Amino acid sequence: MDINNESRRYIIQSVVLFCLLTLFGGLAMTLWSFDMLNAMIVSGCFVLVIDLASGFIFRWVATRHADMLPSFFTGVSGFRFLGALAVMAIWYATSDRASLMTFFVVFLIYYMVSLIHHSIFFSRISNRL
């Protein structure tokens, strides 16, 4: 298995999922006049940063410390969860009540799609190792 190709494939899939989610969000904003642009920007940036970092760190761990891959998978999941809690707490502290539920729904959609992608991709990778 070529680690560089797997890492590149994970990053490309993450970017494509981000683009699809953003496209569907833009379509929902256009069709139903939802005001969720800020929520989509924050959620998209969070997902892109976490997924790109996961792809690059996976490449580094798999090439240099392959015995640490199970710890990497657990660590990424924990870091993603703590980051999501921090983003939601900051949004809660700085926004009004009207935009709070919209943000939480949009953020959780981005988060869950990213989490499902991460889980499926890396479970297949770990089965091949």
Side-chain angles (χ1 to χ4, degrees):
M1 173 177 59
D2 185 21
I3 299 298
N4 289 329
N5 284 340
E6 295 297 329
S7 173
R8 189 176 309 116
R9 192 165 57 105
Y10 177 76
I11 291 170
I12 290 170
Q13 288 175 359
S14 296
V15 170
V16 168
L17 281 174
F18 161 77
C19 291
L20 287 174
L21 286 172
T22 305
L23 181 68
F24 289 140
L27 189 62
M29 285 182 1
T30 303
L31 292 177
W32 296 294
S33 301
F34 290 145
D35 181 25
M36 54 188 197
L37 182 62
N38 291 336
M40 285 175 46
I41 291 170
V42 171
S43 303
C45 288
F46 175 80
V47 165
L48 277 179
V49 167
I50 294 294
D51 284 351
L52 292 177
S54 297
F56 292 125
I57 294 171
F58 165 70
R59 181 184 307 164
W60 183 78
V61 169
T63 56
R64 290 181 177 79
H65 306 285
D67 57 326
M68 299 297 290
L69 279 175
S71 298
F72 163 77
F73 300 141
T74 305
V76 167
S77 296
F79 182 75
R80 178 189 312 264
F81 180 71
L82 290 176
L85 285 178
V87 168
M88 289 191 297
I90 290 169
W91 191 276
Y92 177 78
T94 60
S95 72
D96 59 340
R97 186 158 175 83
S99 68
L100 192 60
M101 286 308 291
T102 302
F103 174 75
F104 281 169
V105 169
V106 170
F107 186 79
L108 288 176
I109 289 170
Y110 274 84
Y111 178 82
M112 292 306 290
V113 168
S114 173
L115 185 65
I116 290 167
H117 171 249
H118 173 84
S119 299
I120 291 171
F121 186 87
F122 285 116
S123 69
R124 289 183 180 170
I125 291 292
S126 64
N127 287 340
R128 285 191 257 158
L129 293 177

